[in-house]
Amino acid sequence: QQQVKQSPQSLIVQKGGISIINCAYENTAFDYFPWYQQFPGKGPALLIAIRPDVSEKKEGRFTISFNKSAKQFSLHIMDSQPGDSATYFCATRMRGNEKLTFGTGTRLTIIP
Amino acid sequence: EPEVTQTPSHQVTQMGQEVILRCVPISNHLYFYWYRQILGQKVEFLVSFYNNEISEKSEIFDDQFSVERPDGSNFTLKIRSTKLEDSAMYFCASSLDRINQPQHFGDGTRLSIL
């Protein structure tokens, strides 16, 4: 029940295209859903996060879509750029808790 | 922008030896965390620390592990007797509060056990 399932494992998108990464969870006690971006040799950096009281959050080219009934959330990267090439992790956190539970990661490659 | 600093960037240790990984969290943050990432796998929570006490720990964080805030700026993770399976990237993180503010991660220490 603590697991977060992330897909796909890897993704190749053309420059200018839309990158979509999906995560699914089981535990309805999760109340915080962040996405982290990780470049090689670096730590995870928070990209965008959402709470379950909204269905969508947009920050620049990055959008989280949240489907509470399906227990799924996804990251959309619009107008994908080569600089977006990185590993992306979804994560969840249980209500009242500090621990982040991470997905397995998606290696995104943006090709010219 | 303030950042979490970790040293060393790479630590090589013989199996059975003790190792201490060091972190300097962001200066006004109050909550501190250690996570680890085995090569090619997901990031896993180890422990959280607040007000000089462990607030939560995972099943990975057994008696071989300990954490300490020895002074006002450093936060350390000690592994008492390292095993081969402790080889991983260890990330320190800090946050301003427990719930409403994000956790900021350092760039990690790669621990290699020989």
Side-chain angles (χ1 to χ4, degrees), chain A residues 22-83:
Chain A
N22 301 297
C23 278
Y25 62 97
E26 295 175 356
N27 195 329
T28 55
F30 290 139
D31 75 340
Y32 174 68
F33 303 88
W35 284 91
Y36 280 82
Q37 180 188 56
Q38 185 180 30
F39 292 105
K42 295 289 190 180
L46 179 67
L47 196 59
I48 187 172
I50 198 167
R51 295 195 185 269
D53 50 347
V54 296
S55 59
E56 187 175 281
K57 183 174 180 181
K58 185 175 180 179
E59 288 183 3
R61 296 185 294 110
F62 302 93
T63 301
I64 297 181
S65 296
F66 184 79
N67 186 330
K68 191 173 180 178
S69 60
K71 290 186 274 187
Q72 293 175 348
F73 59 110
S74 59
L75 175 69
H76 297 235
I77 306 174
M78 313 299 284
D79 186 26
S80 300
Q81 299 296 313

Side-chain angles (χ1 to χ4, degrees), chain B residues 3-90:
Chain B
E3 55 184 31
V4 175
T5 307
Q6 289 186 245
T7 55
S9 57
H10 191 191
Q11 173 81 45
V12 182
T13 301
Q14 291 284 336
M15 187 173 62
Q17 295 296 304
E18 176 184 285
V19 67
I20 297 176
L21 308 182
R22 301 181 192 280
C23 169
V24 179
I26 294 173
S27 63
N28 61 338
H29 285 190
L30 301 174
Y31 294 82
F32 313 113
Y33 314 88
W34 284 101
Y35 290 80
R36 80 171 185 192
Q37 185 178 30
I38 294 171
L39 187 64
Q41 297 186 25
K42 65 179 179 179
V43 178
E44 298 174 290
F45 171 81
L46 291 178
V47 66
S48 58
F49 190 85
Y50 169 71
N51 200 27
N52 281 319
E53 287 184 349
I54 290 174
S55 46
E56 189 177 355
K57 61 182 181 179
S58 72
E59 59 275 7
I60 302 168
F61 194 88
D62 62 21
D63 292 345
Q64 293 299 313
F65 291 88
S66 62
V67 288
E68 192 179 30
R69 188 150 163 84
D71 53 43
S73 60
N74 290 285
F75 179 51
T76 62
L77 174 69
K78 183 195 289 187
I79 308 175
R80 226 179 311 278
S81 177
T82 50
K83 308 184 190 73
L84 292 175
E85 54 264 36
D86 293 327
S87 295
M89 196 75 164
Y90 287 80

Side-chain angles (χ1 to χ4, degrees), chain A residues 36 43 51 93 96-98 103, chain B residues 48 55-56 98-99 103 106-107:
Chain A
Y36 280 82
R51 295 195 185 269
R93 191 179 65 198
N97 205 283
E98 302 154 299
Chain B
S48 58
S55 46
E56 189 177 355
R98 192 162 162 263
I99 302 299
Q103 294 179 19
D107 287 338

